[in-house]
Amino acid sequence: MSGSRPPQQFARSMTTDLYSALCRRHAVARRRGAVGARRSVIRKIATCEPADGVVEASVVVHHEGRVRAIAVRISGVDGRWLITAFELG
């Protein structure tokens, strides 16, 4: 999300809509000069399995002096995991 990795690295791991949003966010990060910024530190992860083949996780991340929350839903599709929802707060 900070632009430190190319979005193509995640193309196979997420839905088309989420990948498009990630590409837009990466472009914004590059314009702001954020590429190569310090890495984020994960403070806490909580997961649950609301249905068979579905994992939901909430992640607390410390990045550049701010604490952010991430919510993600990962579904098993065709024998692989696919990110189907992603929210950054």
Side-chain angles (χ1 to χ4, degrees), residues 4 12 22 26 33 38 43 51 70-71 73 81 89:
S4 61
R12 292 179 35 93
L22 178 65
H26 181 74
R38 285 183 359 161
R43 298 292 186 198
I70 298 172
R73 183 178 179 104
W81 291 105

Side-chain angles (χ1 to χ4, degrees), residues 75-82:
S75 302
V77 177
D78 295 332
R80 63 186 179 102
W81 291 105
L82 185 69

Side-chain angles (χ1 to χ4, degrees), residues 4-86:
S4 61
R5 293 184 182 201
Q8 297 83 1
Q9 187 174 10
F10 302 98
R12 292 179 35 93
S13 301
M14 54 182 43
T15 64
T16 305
D17 293 342
L18 289 177
Y19 178 68
S20 296
L22 178 65
C23 288
R24 287 190 301 274
R25 187 167 184 95
H26 181 74
V28 169
R30 289 183 57 85
R31 283 194 301 272
R32 287 187 307 128
V35 176
R38 285 183 359 161
R39 297 200 184 272
S40 300
V41 177
I42 296 174
R43 298 292 186 198
K44 184 175 182 177
I45 299 174
T47 62
C48 69
E49 190 175 339
D52 191 35
V54 176
V55 175
E56 294 180 343
S58 60
V59 183
V60 177
V61 178
H62 187 258
H63 180 73
E64 295 183 352
R66 293 180 65 190
V67 176
R68 312 280 304 261
I70 298 172
V72 64
R73 183 178 179 104
I74 306 169
S75 302
V77 177
D78 295 332
R80 63 186 179 102
W81 291 105
L82 185 69
I83 301 169
T84 56
F86 184 94

